[in-house]
Amino acid sequence: MTELNWGETLWDQWERIQEHTENGLDFTKKCYEFVKDRIKLESDYAKNIRRLKKQYKLKNSEDDAANYTTIKAYNVILTQLELIARDHELLAEGLQEKVLERLKNIHKETTNNRKNLCNTANLLQIEYKDWQSNLERQQQKYEKSAKDAEAAAQAFSRVNTDMNATKAQVEKSRSQMNHRNDLMEKSKGDYIIAVETTNNNQHEYYHQRWPGL
């Protein structure tokens, strides 16, 4: 089964797509902030461990007993504290260099891409509404001109069969009827063009431009 993209499967659910992508941005931001706080925690922990080692380091007066087993064990513990601090420091540095910067770039790039796509999608929707509005205007214009042409034809029929009507009145009514017919034919042509244009634009909208997002 061929895998479809979002533009093909969710073309009529733009609000849902916006919500989903916004949630995705929120997630990458949360990941960034988590790693950032984790780096601070690891760095602070390393500093505190070193501070602890420095605070409890044996004074020179106590160095005379350095050969005592208990003192040796104590110094080993202090040495291990330095190793522990270094491990947390290296972890913080690794997260800073390999993870945090990457997440920052991903979030920035994704935010910009989403902004550009949303702008494009909004323009497409505006164009779509413009097509529909133009089609409605042309339809209303045609319907009105058709009614006016019909009314002018009826008016001419009455005048033409009126024995009391003058030739000038008949010709004037005929001229008005012809004028209304010309206007109707023009608006009819404009309406037909609007229908064809809208159909072509809608086909491109649903099958090319929107899926292309």
Side-chain angles (χ1 to χ4, degrees):
M1 182 177 179
T2 303
E3 183 178 354
L4 299 177
N5 61 42
W6 278 38
E8 294 172 328
T9 58
L10 298 177
W11 59 265
D12 60 342
Q13 300 183 49
W14 174 234
E15 290 77 12
R16 181 180 171 187
I17 295 175
Q18 284 183 305
E19 180 181 358
H20 181 84
T21 53
E22 181 66 29
N23 291 338
L25 290 179
D26 291 341
F27 176 72
T28 57
K29 182 179 180 181
K30 184 176 290 293
C31 289
Y32 172 82
E33 292 175 346
F34 166 75
V35 174
K36 184 179 179 180
D37 289 344
R38 175 73 184 277
I39 291 173
K40 185 177 185 304
L41 185 149
E42 297 293 344
S43 298
D44 291 345
Y45 188 76
K47 292 177 183 178
N48 290 333
I49 287 293
R50 287 198 173 95
R51 188 179 298 112
L52 179 67
K53 176 190 174 184
K54 182 178 181 180
Q55 179 179 351
Y56 287 96
K57 182 179 179 180
L58 293 176
K59 299 179 181 179
N60 293 335
S61 60
E62 298 172 311
D63 289 344
D64 297 336
N67 291 326
Y68 292 166
T69 302
T70 53
I71 299 301
K72 289 182 178 180
Y74 183 79
N75 286 331
V76 169
I77 293 175
L78 293 182
T79 301
Q80 289 177 339
L81 287 180
E82 175 60 30
L83 295 176
I84 293 173
R86 184 53 182 162
D87 286 342
H88 286 277
E89 193 173 58
L90 289 174
L91 176 58
E93 291 174 357
L95 289 174
Q96 176 71 40
E97 296 175 0
K98 299 179 180 180
V99 181
L100 189 66
E101 288 303 314
R102 178 59 178 162
L103 283 174
K104 180 180 179 181
N105 291 334
I106 289 175
H107 182 71
K108 181 179 179 180
E109 181 180 350
T110 305
T111 299
N112 290 335
N113 288 340
R114 181 182 184 276
K115 180 180 179 181
N116 292 334
L117 289 175
C118 285
N119 289 339
T120 301
N122 289 333
L123 289 176
L124 284 178
Q125 291 182 319
I126 291 174
E127 289 181 12
Y128 182 87
K129 291 179 180 178
D130 288 342
W131 302 332
Q132 296 297 323
S133 297
N134 180 63
L135 180 61
E136 291 177 3
R137 286 195 301 270
Q138 295 301 333
Q139 180 180 3
Q140 292 171 358
K141 185 178 179 181
Y142 169 59
E143 290 175 348
K144 181 179 183 302
S145 65
K147 291 179 180 179
D148 291 343
E150 182 181 359
Q154 292 175 354
F156 172 73
S157 178
R158 288 193 298 269
V159 172
N160 193 40
T161 57
D162 187 354
M163 301 299 296
N164 296 322
T166 65
K167 183 177 180 180
Q169 290 174 325
V170 172
E171 290 304 318
K172 180 180 179 180
S173 181
R174 187 196 306 276
S175 176
Q176 290 177 341
M177 178 185 67
N178 292 336
H179 177 65
R180 292 299 180 182
N181 283 332
D182 290 341
L183 292 178
M184 181 190 68
E185 290 299 325
K186 183 179 184 306
S187 62
K188 179 181 178 180
D190 292 340
Y191 177 53
I192 291 174
I193 292 175
V195 170
E196 293 176 350
T197 301
T198 301
N199 288 339
N200 292 334
N201 288 337
Q202 284 183 341
H203 183 273
E204 182 181 358
Y205 176 86
Y206 289 121
H207 297 280
Q208 296 180 24
R209 301 182 69 182
W210 191 258
L213 291 177

